[in-house]
Amino acid sequence: MSALTEAIARSFTTREKQPPARSPLRALGRRQLSGAEVLAQSVATTAPAVSMVVLPVTMLTHGRLLSGMITIIAATVLVTLIAFCVSQFTRRMAASGGLHSFVFRGLGTRAALTTGIAMLVKYVGSAVMTLYHGGQVAIALLGFAGEHVDKTFHVIALYLGIALLILGALVRSVRFAALAILVVESCSLLFIVGLMILGGSGSQQAQIVPPTSGHGLLLTALAAVFALAGFESAAFFGPESRRPLVTVTRTVLLTPIICGSLFIFAGWAAWSGRSDTLVNAYLHGTATGVSPGVVIALNVGLGCSWLASSMASSNAASRLVYSFGVERLLPRRFASVHSAFRTPYFALTVVVCTVLVGGGAFAILGRGEIFDDVRLTVRGAVIVAYALVAIASVVFLTRIGEHTPGVLAAASCGSGAGAIVLGYLVYANTIDHAYVAPIAVLVILTSGTLWQFYLQRRSPKSLLHVGAFDSPETEDVLPGAGVFATDAAGNIVLVGEPTAGAR
């Protein structure tokens, strides 16, 4: 008999009835996002339009033109290697916990919790900073229109309005949010690329603000890596993708290549002087003679990109918090899903409110040094998570007997480079007597151990649910083609295929 014939025969045999198997992530609505919608989420998180301006500014500010170009190219290669490591998980499983769930499969609970906290810091921190910048651009555009937002009440109202629009779009549906992000980011990229190409060479010379740090190479490297960070956000939407193992894997691999190519082009523009007009418009507005039309167009493009990134980062953070709720690492309330829209509305509300408080506080109280500390902390958190998932990919593949030299090489290069940059970050800040970022990185590194210890004391059963992923349901398997059993957490799951010749 063929395997299909055997499965059909087994489906008619009498067996003891058991509860149907259900994916722990089925409440989100499985198999609804297309490849373009998943790609939109991943690309928007990186905010490519903004990074195409920030990277030239960083290179010119610190006088790192040649070394800056090399750094951007190296960062693109290294992040692509990390993406290759992540793809070893995405081609085998779909999980709303993203890297948190993947690291669990390779390195266990402690490393998974550390990764989860690192990614939560990254996405919430990114959303806070991009919301702040997006709000500031909106204030500047209103100023061009003759409406001056200079009172605290008006600033609060503006940021509250933006946050409500973001929350409404995210709660409405994941597809609606993805399409909105795709349109906004596409328009932003057209603005920025067009201004960079048409800005010409020699029409202006960049007027650079004096650097506040002597570690120009470090800041350029961090900016380049962080500009590419966010490619993995597609993994959070694996359970909601139509073909998760294919769609998410392609997106994870393509995003750093697409964005890296744009950033290399931006680095070339800074090197050749074609970004000078853009840099002046970004740093000084019309003060250096840049036409108001260019400044307004730039602000529109940057504002759209920043707010799209804030929306995408909040969306990704909500899926991570939702996963924590499903795994009982947080109260079950965080796993609540809207009955009509199938979105984690409670997690979204908590995340967006947190982002609003952070972004609004910076808008009202001013940036100060704390903003730079937050930025360095977020960038350090990204490196921690990437290093852990690279190492986890090697351990995971070795355990299942599918280890290859290519994965080992990619993981070694990615995690090794990440450790070097992270060590340099801590060292540079320490010798400059700036201790916030190093302490924050140390807290992130020890957070998994502390959280695991807390859970072992207060809720040891929750540790059985860590690493939840979209498992096959009874309806996904032809009757008689698989064996379902109860796992350690009490869930009915697919555990294997029937033995040959079984009837």
Side-chain angles (χ1 to χ4, degrees):
M1 286 188 181
S2 67
L4 177 61
T5 305
E6 291 182 0
I8 294 174
R10 285 193 298 271
S11 68
F12 289 102
T13 61
T14 303
R15 67 183 68 186
E16 183 180 354
K17 292 185 178 181
Q18 63 180 4
R22 292 289 180 259
S23 168
L25 306 176
R26 72 189 316 265
L28 291 173
R30 308 167 79 211
R31 314 298 185 258
Q32 57 177 317
L33 290 179
S34 66
E37 291 162 342
V38 175
L39 181 63
Q41 162 69 34
S42 186
V43 171
T45 307
T46 66
V50 169
S51 298
M52 289 185 72
V53 178
V54 172
L55 287 174
V57 169
T58 305
M59 291 170 59
L60 291 167
T61 299
H62 297 280
R64 300 284 181 173
L65 296 180
L66 177 59
S67 60
M69 275 290 296
I70 296 173
T71 299
I72 293 174
I73 295 172
T76 301
V77 172
L78 288 173
V79 173
T80 302
L81 292 177
I82 297 293
F84 177 66
C85 295
V86 174
S87 71
Q88 304 308 310
F89 294 101
T90 59
R91 67 177 74 248
R92 292 173 172 83
M93 58 186 291
S96 62
L99 302 192
H100 156 74
S101 301
F102 300 158
V103 172
F104 173 78
R105 300 293 157 186
L107 299 178
T109 302
R110 185 180 307 172
L113 296 176
T114 300
T115 304
I117 292 176
M119 295 311 296
L120 191 61
V121 169
K122 185 273 176 190
Y123 282 109
V124 173
S126 295
V128 166
M129 292 187 293
T130 50
L131 178 66
Y132 163 77
H133 283 298
Q136 293 301 298
V137 169
I139 292 174
L141 291 173
L142 288 173
F144 276 110
E147 297 292 335
H148 299 287
V149 183
D150 50 8
K151 295 183 179 180
T152 301
F153 172 76
H154 294 157
V155 173
I156 294 174
L158 175 65
Y159 276 86
L160 179 60
I162 294 174
L164 288 176
L165 288 175
I166 290 175
L167 180 60
L170 295 178
V171 171
R172 172 62 181 80
S173 77
V174 65
R175 297 193 65 189
F176 177 81
L179 291 173
I181 289 170
L182 178 61
V183 172
V184 169
E185 192 60 40
S186 298
C187 293
S188 303
L189 280 173
L190 288 176
F191 270 123
I192 302 304
V193 174
L195 288 171
M196 193 168 285
I197 293 175
L198 300 177
S201 178
S203 57
Q204 281 209 348
Q205 185 175 359
Q207 303 296 315
I208 302 303
V209 177
T212 57
S213 173
H215 306 288
L217 186 60
L218 170 64
L219 296 178
T220 303
L222 289 174
V225 171
F226 189 67
L228 293 162
F231 72 88
E232 77 289 340
S233 66
F236 291 105
F237 299 88
E240 301 166 74
S241 304
R242 291 175 189 168
R243 300 172 62 203
L245 305 186
V246 175
T247 300
V248 174
T249 300
R250 287 176 180 171
T251 301
V252 163
L253 292 173
L254 283 176
T255 300
I257 296 174
I258 294 172
C259 294
S261 300
L262 291 172
F263 302 155
I264 292 171
F265 169 75
W268 168 82
W271 193 7
S272 62
R274 302 193 70 87
S275 67
D276 287 353
T277 300
L278 199 65
V279 169
N280 285 338
Y282 174 73
L283 293 176
H284 309 291
T286 59
T288 58
V290 180
S291 68
V294 171
V295 175
I296 292 174
L298 176 62
N299 279 315
V300 170
L302 291 179
C304 290
S305 185
W306 264 315
L307 294 179
S309 179
S310 184
M311 180 186 294
S313 295
S314 299
N315 208 14
S318 72
R319 294 312 189 273
L320 180 56
V321 172
Y322 168 81
S323 183
F324 287 162
V326 170
E327 296 171 7
R328 304 179 188 178
L329 302 176
L330 291 177
R332 292 286 293 176
R333 180 67 172 165
F334 286 92
S336 301
V337 174
H338 196 284
S339 58
F341 301 139
R342 310 294 290 274
T343 52
Y345 70 93
F346 187 79
L348 278 168
T349 302
V350 172
V351 169
V352 173
C353 286
T354 302
V355 171
L356 172 61
V357 171
F362 283 123
I364 295 170
L365 303 176
R367 290 174 45 166
E369 294 183 1
I370 187 65
F371 192 88
D372 294 330
D373 290 330
V374 170
R375 180 161 47 203
L376 288 176
T377 299
V378 169
R379 293 175 178 180
V382 169
I383 296 173
V384 169
Y386 285 178
L388 287 174
V389 77
I391 297 170
S393 66
V394 176
V395 178
F396 171 70
L397 292 179
T398 301
R399 181 181 301 138
I400 65 176
E402 298 182 17
H403 169 65
T404 62
V407 176
L408 177 60
S412 299
C413 292
S415 59
I420 292 172
V421 174
L422 193 64
Y424 189 11
L425 169 65
V426 173
Y427 168 75
N429 279 264
T430 301
I431 64 175
D432 288 343
H433 305 290
Y435 301 108
V436 174
I439 291 174
V441 170
L442 180 61
V443 170
I444 291 172
L445 288 171
T446 58
S447 60
T449 301
L450 297 176
W451 196 1
Q452 184 184 36
F453 177 75
Y454 172 80
L455 292 172
Q456 287 174 338
R457 296 290 299 272
R458 299 296 299 271
S459 181
K461 290 185 178 180
S462 63
L463 296 174
L464 298 175
H465 300 273
V466 177
F469 64 98
D470 185 35
S471 57
E473 299 188 346
T474 301
E475 292 79 4
D476 298 329
V477 181
L478 183 69
V483 175
F484 290 90
T486 303
D487 65 5
N491 303 312
I492 305 297
V493 296
L494 180 67
V495 296
E497 299 179 356
T499 56
R503 297 289 187 271

